[in-house]
């Protein structure tokens, strides 16, 4: 009796499942048979709307709507709307998917939810991508993998991986490589390369390389014809560098910085405080703790001035053709030496010292 009851229950369950999933369904403004789901083949002419398709979905000349796809969809001059995502591949004129996609989307235009796999189209848009997004124009929230566009990538979230396009606009952070003609991003950890320029509203940790770089803080290397940044820890190399604080190397034809700890090397160096080496044709600084080496050195306080012309309000040592200071706490060696207050006398050709 128990076996008969169990067999009856199993039979009812199997019959119920079979009645809700047709092996073959054909749709054209209606479904035949009118089952909710399809396990096998679903074909649509002009328009169809059904539930879950497990197998092969073939829309022809029109528009196909289904709840979910597990398998393969091929649109013959047709597009599709999958409400709750798919597992497999969807190929057609356009793909409009909600939910989560696992697999391949290939069409002229892709508008999907979360994608784990590959998106290929003239226009490819997704909420979040874990994989590859290929298109002429791409729009995403977060990208983890490769985001490649022929014209532009617009990422509303963050990029982890490789972001490549003539124009990249990332609202959040980039971890990996940002390669473009023009890059806009928040924070960058890795490589930021722009043929024309990089505009980073956040911080750079790694390499920032472009004709024009505008960024917050840079930890690593800032390489450009023109660098505009807040703080640099590492190397700031450009024809023109404008920074707030530099710890490391500040190298450019013209350097404008507030505090430099390390080496300030340029044809023209203009800074407030330098701790280390100030090397340039013309050095203008407020305080220099270390070596001030240039054809012309002008500073308020300096430790050592070596140049053709040296001027400092106060200094310990000056060596040049013309040396001038208010307070001299060490030596002046040059053709002409001028000091208002000097601690010790020196004997070059000409000395003008008010007191010794």
């Amino acid at each position: 009796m128990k076996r008969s009851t169990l067999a009856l229950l199993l039979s009812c369950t199997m019959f119920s499942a079979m009645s809700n999933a047709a092996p073959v369904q054909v749709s054209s403004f209606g479904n035949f048979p009118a089952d909710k789901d399809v396990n096998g083949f679903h074909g649509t002419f002009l328009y169809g709307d059904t539930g879950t398709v497990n197998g092969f979905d073939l829309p022809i000349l029109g528009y196909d709507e289904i709840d979910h796809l597990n398998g393969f969809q091929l649109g013959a001059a047709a597009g599709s709307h999958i409400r709750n995502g798919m597992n497999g591949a969807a190929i057609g004129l356009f793909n409009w998917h909600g939910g989560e996609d696992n697999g391949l989307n290939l069409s002229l235009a892709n508008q999907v939810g979360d994608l784990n796999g590959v998106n290929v189209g003239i226009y490819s848009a997704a909420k979040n991508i874990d994989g590859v997004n290929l298109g002429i124009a791409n729009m995403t929230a977060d990208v983890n993998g490769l985001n490649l566009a022929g014209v532009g990538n617009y990422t509303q979230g963050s990029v982890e991986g490789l972001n490549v396009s003539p124009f990249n606009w990332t609202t959040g952070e980039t971890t990996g490589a940002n390669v473009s003609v023009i890059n806009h991003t928040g924070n960058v950890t890795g490589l930021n390369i722009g043929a024309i320029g990089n505009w980073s509203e956040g911080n750079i940790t790694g390499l920032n390389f472009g004709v024009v770089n505008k960024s917050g803080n840079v930890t690593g290397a800032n390489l450009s014809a023109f660098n505009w940044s807040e703080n640099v820890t590492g190397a700031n190399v450009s024809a023109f560098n404008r920074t707030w604080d530099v710890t490391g190397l500040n190298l450019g034809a013209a350097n404008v910085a507030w505090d430099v700890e390390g080496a300030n090397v340029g044809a023209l160096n203009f800074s407030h405080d330098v701790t280390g080496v100030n090397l340039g044709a013309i050095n203008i600084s407020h305080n220099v703790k270390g070596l001030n080496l240039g054809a012309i050195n002008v500073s308020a306080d300096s430790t050592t001035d070596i140049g053709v012309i040296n001027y400092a309000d106060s200094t310990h040592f000056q060596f040049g053709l013309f040396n001038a200071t208010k307070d001299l706490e060490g030596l002046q060696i040059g053709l002409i030496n001028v000091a208002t207050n000097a601690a010790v006398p020196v004997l070059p050709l000409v000395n003008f010292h008010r007191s010794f």
Side-chain angles (χ1 to χ4, degrees):
M1 181 67 179
K2 291 182 179 180
R3 290 184 179 180
S4 300
T5 304
L6 180 60
L8 179 61
L9 289 174
L10 289 174
S11 299
C12 291
T13 302
M14 292 177 62
F15 180 81
S16 176
M18 291 177 63
S19 64
N20 290 328
V24 176
Q25 186 180 74
V26 178
S27 302
S28 183
F29 300 97
N31 297 326
F32 180 79
D35 297 80
K36 182 179 180 181
D37 299 324
V38 178
N39 290 332
F41 172 78
H42 176 248
T44 298
F45 180 70
L46 297 181
Y47 176 75
D49 188 350
T50 192
T52 298
V53 175
N54 299 305
F56 180 42
D57 186 46
L58 178 64
I60 301 173
L61 292 176
Y63 175 54
D64 184 30
E65 288 189 286
I66 62 176
D67 286 339
H68 188 74
L69 172 68
N70 294 306
F72 179 63
Q73 182 185 74
L74 177 62
S80 72
H81 177 206
I82 302 177
R83 287 178 280 264
N84 299 316
M86 66 92 184
N87 298 305
I91 301 174
L93 287 180
F94 65 87
N95 290 317
W96 173 23
H97 299 172
E100 181 177 299
D101 284 3
N102 297 291
L104 170 66
N105 283 316
L106 176 61
S107 70
L108 297 179
N110 294 311
Q111 177 71 53
V112 302
D114 295 331
L115 174 65
N116 298 306
V118 181
N119 229 8
V120 181
I122 294 177
Y123 170 76
S124 290
K127 289 183 179 179
N128 300 303
I129 291 180
D130 192 346
V132 179
N133 200 29
L134 303 178
I136 302 298
N138 295 329
M139 183 174 71
T140 58
D142 294 326
V143 177
N144 185 6
L146 173 63
N147 203 24
L148 176 62
V151 174
N153 289 321
Y154 176 61
T155 307
Q156 295 173 312
S158 301
V159 176
E160 294 186 7
L162 181 59
N163 206 25
V164 181
S165 174
F167 178 76
N168 287 323
W169 184 285
T170 305
T171 303
E173 301 180 355
T174 299
T175 303
N178 213 15
V179 181
S180 178
V181 175
I182 299 176
N183 286 319
H184 170 272
T185 186
N187 298 326
V188 177
T189 302
L191 178 62
N192 205 29
I193 298 179
I196 293 179
N198 295 315
W199 176 21
S200 304
E201 296 189 68
N203 301 323
I204 306 290
T205 302
L207 174 61
N208 201 26
F209 182 78
V211 175
V212 178
N213 291 327
K214 169 66 175 70
S215 61
N217 300 324
V218 177
T219 302
N222 208 17
L223 306 179
S224 172
F226 177 81
N227 286 323
W228 182 292
S229 55
E230 296 304 315
N231 300 323
V232 176
T233 302
N236 204 26
V237 181
S238 176
F240 177 78
N241 290 318
R242 182 273 176 198
T243 55
W244 188 252
D245 295 331
V246 178
T247 302
L249 173 63
N250 203 25
L251 175 62
N255 294 318
V256 178
W258 184 254
D259 294 328
V260 177
E261 294 185 9
N264 205 22
V265 182
L268 172 64
N269 292 320
F270 182 84
S271 56
H272 189 267
D273 296 329
V274 177
T275 302
V277 179
N278 207 19
L279 175 62
I282 300 175
N283 294 319
I284 301 174
S285 306
H286 189 265
N287 299 316
V288 178
K289 295 179 181 179
L291 176 61
N292 209 15
L293 178 61
I296 299 175
N297 295 314
V298 178
S299 60
D301 296 322
S302 67
T303 303
T304 302
D305 291 331
I306 299 177
V308 178
I309 300 174
N310 297 312
Y311 175 81
D313 287 344
S314 63
T315 186
H316 291 270
F317 177 77
Q318 284 185 327
F319 179 84
L321 294 179
F322 178 80
N323 298 313
T325 184
K326 292 181 179 179
D327 298 318
L328 178 63
E329 298 180 4
L331 295 176
Q332 275 183 330
I333 301 175
L335 179 64
I336 299 175
N337 297 315
V338 178
T340 303
N341 296 305
V344 295
V346 292
L347 299 174
L349 296 179
V350 181
N351 288 314
F352 297 95
H353 291 169
R354 179 172 295 179
S355 62
F356 298 109

